[in-house]
Short mmCIF file of all heavy atoms in Angstrom, two decimals:
data_model
loop_
_atom_site.label_atom_id
_atom_site.label_comp_id
_atom_site.label_asym_id
_atom_site.label_seq_id
_atom_site.Cartn_x
_atom_site.Cartn_y
_atom_site.Cartn_z
N MET A 173 -144.32 -69.70 -109.21
CA MET A 173 -143.67 -68.73 -110.06
C MET A 173 -143.79 -67.32 -109.47
O MET A 173 -142.85 -66.56 -109.52
CB MET A 173 -144.29 -68.80 -111.46
CG MET A 173 -143.59 -67.96 -112.48
SD MET A 173 -141.96 -68.62 -112.79
CE MET A 173 -141.48 -67.63 -114.13
N SER A 174 -144.95 -67.00 -108.93
CA SER A 174 -145.14 -65.65 -108.37
C SER A 174 -144.27 -65.45 -107.13
O SER A 174 -143.79 -64.34 -106.89
CB SER A 174 -146.61 -65.40 -108.04
OG SER A 174 -147.03 -66.27 -107.01
N SER A 175 -144.05 -66.50 -106.37
CA SER A 175 -143.18 -66.35 -105.20
C SER A 175 -141.74 -66.11 -105.62
O SER A 175 -141.01 -65.37 -104.94
CB SER A 175 -143.28 -67.58 -104.30
OG SER A 175 -142.85 -68.73 -104.99
N LEU A 176 -141.31 -66.69 -106.72
CA LEU A 176 -139.96 -66.44 -107.23
C LEU A 176 -139.82 -64.99 -107.67
O LEU A 176 -138.81 -64.34 -107.39
CB LEU A 176 -139.65 -67.39 -108.39
CG LEU A 176 -138.27 -67.24 -109.02
CD1 LEU A 176 -137.17 -67.50 -107.99
CD2 LEU A 176 -138.12 -68.17 -110.21
N LYS A 177 -140.84 -64.46 -108.33
CA LYS A 177 -140.81 -63.06 -108.76
C LYS A 177 -140.75 -62.13 -107.55
O LYS A 177 -140.01 -61.16 -107.54
CB LYS A 177 -142.03 -62.74 -109.61
CG LYS A 177 -141.97 -63.32 -111.00
CD LYS A 177 -143.21 -62.93 -111.80
CE LYS A 177 -143.20 -63.58 -113.17
NZ LYS A 177 -144.40 -63.24 -113.95
N ARG A 178 -141.54 -62.44 -106.52
CA ARG A 178 -141.52 -61.61 -105.31
C ARG A 178 -140.15 -61.67 -104.63
O ARG A 178 -139.63 -60.67 -104.15
CB ARG A 178 -142.60 -62.07 -104.33
CG ARG A 178 -143.96 -61.49 -104.63
CD ARG A 178 -144.95 -61.84 -103.56
NE ARG A 178 -145.30 -63.26 -103.74
CZ ARG A 178 -145.56 -64.11 -102.78
NH1 ARG A 178 -145.54 -63.73 -101.53
NH2 ARG A 178 -145.86 -65.37 -103.06
N PHE A 179 -139.55 -62.87 -104.63
CA PHE A 179 -138.23 -63.02 -104.03
C PHE A 179 -137.18 -62.19 -104.77
O PHE A 179 -136.34 -61.54 -104.16
CB PHE A 179 -137.82 -64.50 -104.03
CG PHE A 179 -136.44 -64.74 -103.49
CD1 PHE A 179 -136.20 -64.65 -102.13
CD2 PHE A 179 -135.39 -65.04 -104.34
CE1 PHE A 179 -134.92 -64.85 -101.62
CE2 PHE A 179 -134.11 -65.25 -103.85
CZ PHE A 179 -133.89 -65.16 -102.48
N LEU A 180 -137.23 -62.19 -106.09
CA LEU A 180 -136.25 -61.45 -106.87
C LEU A 180 -136.45 -59.94 -106.77
O LEU A 180 -135.49 -59.16 -106.88
CB LEU A 180 -136.31 -61.88 -108.34
CG LEU A 180 -135.85 -63.32 -108.61
CD1 LEU A 180 -136.06 -63.68 -110.08
CD2 LEU A 180 -134.40 -63.51 -108.21
N LYS A 181 -137.68 -59.49 -106.53
CA LYS A 181 -137.96 -58.06 -106.38
C LYS A 181 -137.71 -57.57 -104.96
O LYS A 181 -137.59 -56.37 -104.74
CB LYS A 181 -139.42 -57.77 -106.76
CG LYS A 181 -139.68 -57.85 -108.23
CD LYS A 181 -141.12 -57.47 -108.53
CE LYS A 181 -141.40 -57.58 -110.01
NZ LYS A 181 -142.79 -57.20 -110.33
N ASN A 182 -137.61 -58.47 -104.01
CA ASN A 182 -137.43 -58.09 -102.62
C ASN A 182 -136.05 -57.48 -102.42
O ASN A 182 -135.03 -58.10 -102.69
CB ASN A 182 -137.61 -59.32 -101.73
CG ASN A 182 -137.65 -58.96 -100.26
OD1 ASN A 182 -137.46 -57.81 -99.90
ND2 ASN A 182 -137.90 -59.95 -99.43
N GLU A 183 -136.00 -56.25 -101.92
CA GLU A 183 -134.73 -55.56 -101.71
C GLU A 183 -134.45 -55.34 -100.23
O GLU A 183 -133.55 -54.57 -99.88
CB GLU A 183 -134.75 -54.22 -102.44
CG GLU A 183 -134.81 -54.35 -103.94
CD GLU A 183 -134.78 -53.00 -104.63
OE1 GLU A 183 -134.67 -51.98 -103.94
OE2 GLU A 183 -134.87 -52.98 -105.87
N ASP A 184 -135.18 -55.99 -99.35
CA ASP A 184 -134.98 -55.79 -97.91
C ASP A 184 -133.58 -56.20 -97.47
O ASP A 184 -132.95 -55.51 -96.68
CB ASP A 184 -136.02 -56.58 -97.11
CG ASP A 184 -137.41 -56.00 -97.25
OD1 ASP A 184 -137.50 -54.81 -97.62
OD2 ASP A 184 -138.38 -56.72 -97.00
N GLY A 185 -133.07 -57.29 -97.99
CA GLY A 185 -131.73 -57.73 -97.61
C GLY A 185 -130.66 -56.77 -98.05
O GLY A 185 -129.73 -56.46 -97.31
N ALA A 186 -130.79 -56.25 -99.27
CA ALA A 186 -129.81 -55.29 -99.78
C ALA A 186 -129.85 -54.01 -98.95
O ALA A 186 -128.80 -53.43 -98.63
CB ALA A 186 -130.09 -54.99 -101.24
N THR A 187 -131.03 -53.58 -98.58
CA THR A 187 -131.16 -52.37 -97.76
C THR A 187 -130.53 -52.58 -96.39
O THR A 187 -129.83 -51.71 -95.88
CB THR A 187 -132.65 -52.00 -97.61
OG1 THR A 187 -133.21 -51.83 -98.90
CG2 THR A 187 -132.81 -50.72 -96.83
N ALA A 188 -130.74 -53.75 -95.81
CA ALA A 188 -130.15 -54.04 -94.50
C ALA A 188 -128.62 -54.05 -94.59
O ALA A 188 -127.95 -53.54 -93.69
CB ALA A 188 -130.66 -55.38 -93.98
N ILE A 189 -128.09 -54.60 -95.65
CA ILE A 189 -126.64 -54.62 -95.83
C ILE A 189 -126.11 -53.20 -95.99
O ILE A 189 -125.08 -52.83 -95.41
CB ILE A 189 -126.25 -55.49 -97.04
CG1 ILE A 189 -126.53 -56.96 -96.73
CG2 ILE A 189 -124.80 -55.29 -97.42
CD1 ILE A 189 -126.38 -57.88 -97.91
N GLU A 190 -126.82 -52.37 -96.74
CA GLU A 190 -126.38 -50.98 -96.92
C GLU A 190 -126.39 -50.24 -95.59
O GLU A 190 -125.45 -49.51 -95.27
CB GLU A 190 -127.29 -50.28 -97.92
CG GLU A 190 -127.11 -50.78 -99.33
CD GLU A 190 -128.20 -50.29 -100.27
OE1 GLU A 190 -129.13 -49.60 -99.81
OE2 GLU A 190 -128.11 -50.61 -101.47
N TYR A 191 -127.45 -50.43 -94.80
CA TYR A 191 -127.50 -49.79 -93.49
C TYR A 191 -126.38 -50.30 -92.59
O TYR A 191 -125.79 -49.55 -91.82
CB TYR A 191 -128.86 -50.00 -92.83
CG TYR A 191 -129.96 -49.13 -93.38
CD1 TYR A 191 -131.23 -49.64 -93.58
CD2 TYR A 191 -129.74 -47.81 -93.71
CE1 TYR A 191 -132.25 -48.86 -94.09
CE2 TYR A 191 -130.74 -47.02 -94.23
CZ TYR A 191 -132.00 -47.54 -94.41
OH TYR A 191 -132.99 -46.76 -94.92
N GLY A 192 -126.08 -51.57 -92.68
CA GLY A 192 -124.98 -52.13 -91.90
C GLY A 192 -123.64 -51.53 -92.28
O GLY A 192 -122.82 -51.21 -91.42
N LEU A 193 -123.42 -51.34 -93.57
CA LEU A 193 -122.17 -50.72 -94.02
C LEU A 193 -122.07 -49.27 -93.57
O LEU A 193 -121.00 -48.81 -93.15
CB LEU A 193 -122.05 -50.81 -95.55
CG LEU A 193 -121.80 -52.20 -96.11
CD1 LEU A 193 -121.90 -52.18 -97.64
CD2 LEU A 193 -120.43 -52.70 -95.68
N ILE A 194 -123.18 -48.55 -93.66
CA ILE A 194 -123.18 -47.17 -93.20
C ILE A 194 -122.88 -47.10 -91.71
O ILE A 194 -122.08 -46.27 -91.25
CB ILE A 194 -124.52 -46.49 -93.54
CG1 ILE A 194 -124.65 -46.30 -95.05
CG2 ILE A 194 -124.65 -45.15 -92.83
CD1 ILE A 194 -126.02 -45.88 -95.51
N ALA A 195 -123.51 -47.98 -90.92
CA ALA A 195 -123.27 -48.00 -89.49
C ALA A 195 -121.81 -48.34 -89.18
O ALA A 195 -121.20 -47.75 -88.28
CB ALA A 195 -124.19 -49.01 -88.81
N ALA A 196 -121.22 -49.25 -89.94
CA ALA A 196 -119.82 -49.61 -89.73
C ALA A 196 -118.90 -48.43 -90.04
O ALA A 196 -117.95 -48.16 -89.29
CB ALA A 196 -119.45 -50.80 -90.60
N LEU A 197 -119.18 -47.70 -91.11
CA LEU A 197 -118.36 -46.53 -91.46
C LEU A 197 -118.49 -45.44 -90.40
O LEU A 197 -117.49 -44.79 -90.05
CB LEU A 197 -118.76 -46.00 -92.83
CG LEU A 197 -118.36 -46.87 -94.01
CD1 LEU A 197 -118.95 -46.31 -95.31
CD2 LEU A 197 -116.85 -46.96 -94.12
N ILE A 198 -119.69 -45.23 -89.89
CA ILE A 198 -119.86 -44.24 -88.83
C ILE A 198 -119.10 -44.67 -87.58
O ILE A 198 -118.47 -43.85 -86.92
CB ILE A 198 -121.37 -44.04 -88.53
CG1 ILE A 198 -122.03 -43.33 -89.71
CG2 ILE A 198 -121.58 -43.26 -87.25
CD1 ILE A 198 -123.54 -43.25 -89.63
N GLY A 199 -119.14 -45.95 -87.28
CA GLY A 199 -118.39 -46.47 -86.13
C GLY A 199 -116.89 -46.25 -86.27
O GLY A 199 -116.22 -45.84 -85.33
N VAL A 200 -116.37 -46.50 -87.45
CA VAL A 200 -114.93 -46.29 -87.69
C VAL A 200 -114.59 -44.80 -87.54
O VAL A 200 -113.56 -44.44 -86.95
CB VAL A 200 -114.53 -46.81 -89.09
CG1 VAL A 200 -113.15 -46.35 -89.48
CG2 VAL A 200 -114.61 -48.33 -89.12
N ALA A 201 -115.46 -43.93 -88.06
CA ALA A 201 -115.21 -42.49 -87.94
C ALA A 201 -115.22 -42.05 -86.48
O ALA A 201 -114.38 -41.25 -86.05
CB ALA A 201 -116.26 -41.72 -88.74
N ILE A 202 -116.16 -42.58 -85.69
CA ILE A 202 -116.22 -42.21 -84.28
C ILE A 202 -114.99 -42.71 -83.53
O ILE A 202 -114.41 -41.98 -82.73
CB ILE A 202 -117.51 -42.78 -83.64
CG1 ILE A 202 -118.73 -42.01 -84.18
CG2 ILE A 202 -117.46 -42.72 -82.12
CD1 ILE A 202 -120.06 -42.61 -83.79
N ILE A 203 -114.58 -43.93 -83.80
CA ILE A 203 -113.40 -44.48 -83.13
C ILE A 203 -112.16 -43.66 -83.48
O ILE A 203 -111.33 -43.36 -82.61
CB ILE A 203 -113.21 -45.97 -83.51
CG1 ILE A 203 -114.32 -46.80 -82.86
CG2 ILE A 203 -111.84 -46.48 -83.09
CD1 ILE A 203 -114.39 -48.22 -83.36
N THR A 204 -112.03 -43.28 -84.74
CA THR A 204 -110.88 -42.47 -85.16
C THR A 204 -110.90 -41.11 -84.47
O THR A 204 -109.87 -40.64 -83.97
CB THR A 204 -110.90 -42.29 -86.69
OG1 THR A 204 -110.88 -43.57 -87.30
CG2 THR A 204 -109.70 -41.49 -87.16
N ALA A 205 -112.06 -40.46 -84.44
CA ALA A 205 -112.17 -39.14 -83.81
C ALA A 205 -111.86 -39.21 -82.32
O ALA A 205 -111.15 -38.36 -81.79
CB ALA A 205 -113.57 -38.57 -84.05
N VAL A 206 -112.40 -40.22 -81.65
CA VAL A 206 -112.14 -40.36 -80.21
C VAL A 206 -110.66 -40.61 -79.96
O VAL A 206 -110.08 -40.08 -79.01
CB VAL A 206 -113.02 -41.48 -79.62
CG1 VAL A 206 -112.58 -41.86 -78.21
CG2 VAL A 206 -114.48 -41.06 -79.61
N GLY A 207 -110.04 -41.40 -80.81
CA GLY A 207 -108.60 -41.65 -80.66
C GLY A 207 -107.78 -40.38 -80.82
O GLY A 207 -106.85 -40.12 -80.04
N LEU A 208 -108.13 -39.56 -81.80
CA LEU A 208 -107.39 -38.32 -82.02
C LEU A 208 -107.62 -37.33 -80.89
O LEU A 208 -106.68 -36.69 -80.41
CB LEU A 208 -107.79 -37.69 -83.36
CG LEU A 208 -107.38 -38.47 -84.60
CD1 LEU A 208 -107.97 -37.82 -85.85
CD2 LEU A 208 -105.87 -38.54 -84.71
N VAL A 209 -108.86 -37.20 -80.45
CA VAL A 209 -109.16 -36.29 -79.34
C VAL A 209 -108.50 -36.79 -78.06
O VAL A 209 -107.97 -36.00 -77.28
CB VAL A 209 -110.69 -36.15 -79.17
CG1 VAL A 209 -111.04 -35.42 -77.89
CG2 VAL A 209 -111.28 -35.41 -80.36
N GLY A 210 -108.51 -38.09 -77.86
CA GLY A 210 -107.89 -38.65 -76.67
C GLY A 210 -106.40 -38.38 -76.62
O GLY A 210 -105.85 -38.04 -75.57
N SER A 211 -105.73 -38.50 -77.75
CA SER A 211 -104.30 -38.22 -77.80
C SER A 211 -104.03 -36.75 -77.51
O SER A 211 -103.09 -36.41 -76.78
CB SER A 211 -103.73 -38.57 -79.18
OG SER A 211 -103.86 -39.95 -79.41
N GLY A 212 -104.84 -35.88 -78.07
CA GLY A 212 -104.68 -34.44 -77.83
C GLY A 212 -104.92 -34.09 -76.37
O GLY A 212 -104.19 -33.29 -75.78
N LEU A 213 -105.93 -34.68 -75.76
CA LEU A 213 -106.21 -34.43 -74.34
C LEU A 213 -105.09 -34.96 -73.46
O LEU A 213 -104.71 -34.31 -72.47
CB LEU A 213 -107.53 -35.07 -73.93
CG LEU A 213 -108.79 -34.33 -74.33
CD1 LEU A 213 -110.02 -35.14 -73.96
CD2 LEU A 213 -108.85 -32.98 -73.69
N ASN A 214 -104.56 -36.10 -73.80
CA ASN A 214 -103.46 -36.66 -73.02
C ASN A 214 -102.25 -35.73 -73.05
O ASN A 214 -101.63 -35.46 -72.02
CB ASN A 214 -103.08 -38.04 -73.57
CG ASN A 214 -102.16 -38.79 -72.65
OD1 ASN A 214 -102.08 -38.50 -71.47
ND2 ASN A 214 -101.44 -39.74 -73.21
N THR A 215 -101.95 -35.19 -74.21
CA THR A 215 -100.83 -34.25 -74.35
C THR A 215 -101.10 -32.99 -73.53
O THR A 215 -100.20 -32.49 -72.83
CB THR A 215 -100.63 -33.89 -75.83
OG1 THR A 215 -100.38 -35.10 -76.56
CG2 THR A 215 -99.46 -32.94 -76.01
N THR A 216 -102.31 -32.49 -73.60
CA THR A 216 -102.67 -31.27 -72.86
C THR A 216 -102.54 -31.49 -71.35
O THR A 216 -101.95 -30.66 -70.65
CB THR A 216 -104.11 -30.84 -73.20
OG1 THR A 216 -104.20 -30.62 -74.59
CG2 THR A 216 -104.50 -29.59 -72.45
N PHE A 217 -103.07 -32.60 -70.85
CA PHE A 217 -102.98 -32.86 -69.41
C PHE A 217 -101.55 -33.09 -68.97
O PHE A 217 -101.17 -32.69 -67.86
CB PHE A 217 -103.87 -34.03 -69.02
CG PHE A 217 -105.33 -33.68 -68.94
CD1 PHE A 217 -106.25 -34.38 -69.69
CD2 PHE A 217 -105.78 -32.66 -68.12
CE1 PHE A 217 -107.60 -34.06 -69.62
CE2 PHE A 217 -107.12 -32.33 -68.04
CZ PHE A 217 -108.04 -33.03 -68.80
N ASN A 218 -100.74 -33.72 -69.79
CA ASN A 218 -99.32 -33.90 -69.44
C ASN A 218 -98.60 -32.56 -69.37
O ASN A 218 -97.78 -32.34 -68.48
CB ASN A 218 -98.63 -34.82 -70.45
CG ASN A 218 -98.98 -36.28 -70.22
OD1 ASN A 218 -99.37 -36.67 -69.14
ND2 ASN A 218 -98.86 -37.07 -71.27
N THR A 219 -98.92 -31.66 -70.29
CA THR A 219 -98.31 -30.32 -70.27
C THR A 219 -98.72 -29.57 -69.02
O THR A 219 -97.89 -28.94 -68.35
CB THR A 219 -98.74 -29.52 -71.53
OG1 THR A 219 -98.37 -30.26 -72.69
CG2 THR A 219 -98.12 -28.16 -71.57
N ILE A 220 -100.01 -29.62 -68.69
CA ILE A 220 -100.50 -28.94 -67.47
C ILE A 220 -99.85 -29.54 -66.24
O ILE A 220 -99.40 -28.81 -65.34
CB ILE A 220 -102.04 -29.05 -67.40
CG1 ILE A 220 -102.68 -28.22 -68.49
CG2 ILE A 220 -102.54 -28.60 -66.02
CD1 ILE A 220 -104.16 -28.44 -68.66
N SER A 221 -99.74 -30.85 -66.18
CA SER A 221 -99.12 -31.51 -65.03
C SER A 221 -97.67 -31.10 -64.90
O SER A 221 -97.20 -30.82 -63.77
CB SER A 221 -99.22 -33.03 -65.20
OG SER A 221 -98.54 -33.69 -64.18
N THR A 222 -96.96 -31.02 -65.99
CA THR A 222 -95.55 -30.63 -65.95
C THR A 222 -95.41 -29.19 -65.46
O THR A 222 -94.55 -28.89 -64.61
CB THR A 222 -94.93 -30.76 -67.36
OG1 THR A 222 -95.08 -32.11 -67.79
CG2 THR A 222 -93.46 -30.38 -67.34
N LYS A 223 -96.25 -28.30 -65.94
CA LYS A 223 -96.18 -26.88 -65.52
C LYS A 223 -96.57 -26.72 -64.05
O LYS A 223 -95.97 -25.90 -63.34
CB LYS A 223 -97.07 -26.03 -66.42
CG LYS A 223 -96.50 -25.88 -67.82
CD LYS A 223 -97.34 -24.98 -68.68
CE LYS A 223 -96.71 -24.86 -70.07
NZ LYS A 223 -97.47 -23.97 -70.94
N LEU A 224 -97.56 -27.49 -63.59
CA LEU A 224 -97.94 -27.41 -62.19
C LEU A 224 -96.83 -27.95 -61.29
O LEU A 224 -96.58 -27.41 -60.20
CB LEU A 224 -99.23 -28.19 -61.94
CG LEU A 224 -100.51 -27.53 -62.46
CD1 LEU A 224 -101.70 -28.46 -62.27
CD2 LEU A 224 -100.77 -26.21 -61.77
N SER A 225 -96.17 -29.00 -61.72
CA SER A 225 -95.06 -29.55 -60.94
C SER A 225 -93.91 -28.57 -60.86
O SER A 225 -93.27 -28.41 -59.82
CB SER A 225 -94.58 -30.86 -61.56
OG SER A 225 -95.59 -31.84 -61.49
N ALA A 226 -93.64 -27.89 -61.96
CA ALA A 226 -92.56 -26.91 -61.98
C ALA A 226 -92.90 -25.69 -61.13
O ALA A 226 -92.03 -25.09 -60.51
CB ALA A 226 -92.26 -26.48 -63.41
N ALA A 227 -94.17 -25.31 -61.08
CA ALA A 227 -94.58 -24.14 -60.32
C ALA A 227 -94.62 -24.46 -58.82
O ALA A 227 -94.47 -23.55 -57.99
CB ALA A 227 -95.95 -23.67 -60.78
N GLY A 228 -94.84 -25.69 -58.47
CA GLY A 228 -95.03 -26.06 -57.07
C GLY A 228 -93.73 -26.36 -56.43
O GLY A 228 -93.34 -26.19 -55.37
#
């Protein structure tokens, strides 16, 4: 009976799941940010390349 009570009070699994969800959300945020920055950098480098080609 005491082991059942300890099992029901144990919150380690719930905490691990919460940390996993937080890590997943942070991962999604990082992937989104990198994608947006990457698109902006690509546009910037294409503009610079076009201007350098026109100047040369």
Side-chain angles (χ1 to χ4, degrees):
M173 187 68 172
S174 65
S175 62
L176 180 61
K177 286 181 183 179
R178 277 186 285 145
F179 177 75
L180 293 175
K181 287 183 181 181
N182 189 355
E183 295 182 2
D184 290 340
T187 303
I189 291 172
E190 290 168 358
Y191 283 140
L193 289 172
I194 291 170
L197 289 174
I198 290 171
V200 168
I202 289 171
I203 290 169
T204 302
V206 168
L208 293 174
V209 170
S211 296
L213 282 175
N214 192 22
T215 302
T216 301
F217 283 123
N218 283 338
T219 303
I220 291 170
S221 175
T222 302
K223 289 183 179 182
L224 287 174
S225 295

